[in-house]
Amino acid sequence: MRVGHGYDLHRLEPRPPAGNGKSFVLGGIQIEHSTGPVAHSDGDVLLHAVTDAILGALGLPDIGQLFPDTDPKNESADSAIFLREAVDRMRKAGWEIGNIDCTIICEKPKIGPRRADIVANIARLIGCAADSINVKGKTHEKVDAVGEGRAIEVHVCALLKPR
Ligand code: MG
């Protein structure tokens, strides 16, 4: 078996013209919120961390190396494309998902009400069972940038098993 860790953080800002925040999308699910991620792609911090956990388990270059933010092709890209590429590489290398455990850290919005949608969508994108995916939400206890609502961060562990 192989294990990988993924981490990502994005700044959160109001939508233009007040800031540069994009729509708030998490695990491919749109969530109504007053701020959104500042990003070159669609800013889906959860899919970025899941992608990096899988790539990390495979010992491959990370998402920033495979999909540089200097490449205009990745401008506002749907992050599902990044995840699908990682999953493709995983299958070609002879591995499949054992399980994936995700921790989302932000003050707002609350993750709980959308958790089931997020889990189902990640499982759909990967092509694995929903009970192989776990998603938890935590706050940052109002301290530092994450706790002040100026950023969102995600940690992910992915276990791969031979196909
Ligand atoms: Mg990112």
Side-chain angles (χ1 to χ4, degrees):
M1 289 195 266
R2 295 187 68 106
V3 67
H5 175 257
Y7 168 80
D8 198 23
L9 177 148
H10 281 259
R11 270 185 295 126
L12 295 173
E13 290 187 3
R15 305 280 186 298
N20 289 312
K22 295 189 169 175
S23 295
F24 198 104
V25 60
L26 210 46
I29 301 296
Q30 294 278 346
I31 299 177
E32 269 315 305
H33 192 51
S34 58
T35 63
V38 177
H40 184 69
S41 68
D42 66 2
D44 193 324
V45 62
L46 177 54
L47 291 191
H48 294 177
V50 170
T51 300
D52 257 350
I54 294 170
L55 291 172
L58 294 167
L60 291 173
D62 70 14
I63 189 170
Q65 291 171 272
L66 292 182
F67 303 99
D69 63 8
T70 49
D71 186 343
K73 210 170 57 189
N74 299 325
E75 171 74 43
S76 291
D78 178 352
S79 295
I81 293 165
F82 309 152
L83 177 56
R84 286 215 166 97
E85 174 66 25
V87 168
D88 253 20
R89 290 176 182 234
M90 173 185 76
R91 295 224 166 90
K92 282 182 183 136
W95 299 92
E96 65 180 347
I97 296 296
N99 71 299
I100 291 180
D101 187 25
C102 312
T103 302
I104 302 163
I105 309 166
C106 61
E107 277 327 279
K108 284 180 183 166
K110 288 283 171 219
I111 304 306
R114 304 306 301 277
R115 183 199 323 273
D117 298 331
I118 292 169
V119 166
N121 197 50
I122 294 173
R124 179 185 67 82
L125 290 172
I126 293 175
C128 69
D131 68 1
S132 301
I133 309 293
N134 189 49
V135 171
K136 311 181 289 294
K138 289 180 70 68
T139 74
H140 208 263
E141 293 288 332
K142 296 188 164 62
V143 300
D144 299 337
V146 175
E148 291 163 5
R150 294 187 287 117
I152 178 170
E153 65 181 347
V154 177
H155 295 262
V156 174
C157 285
L159 186 78
L160 309 188
K161 58 185 183 183
R163 289 184 76 186

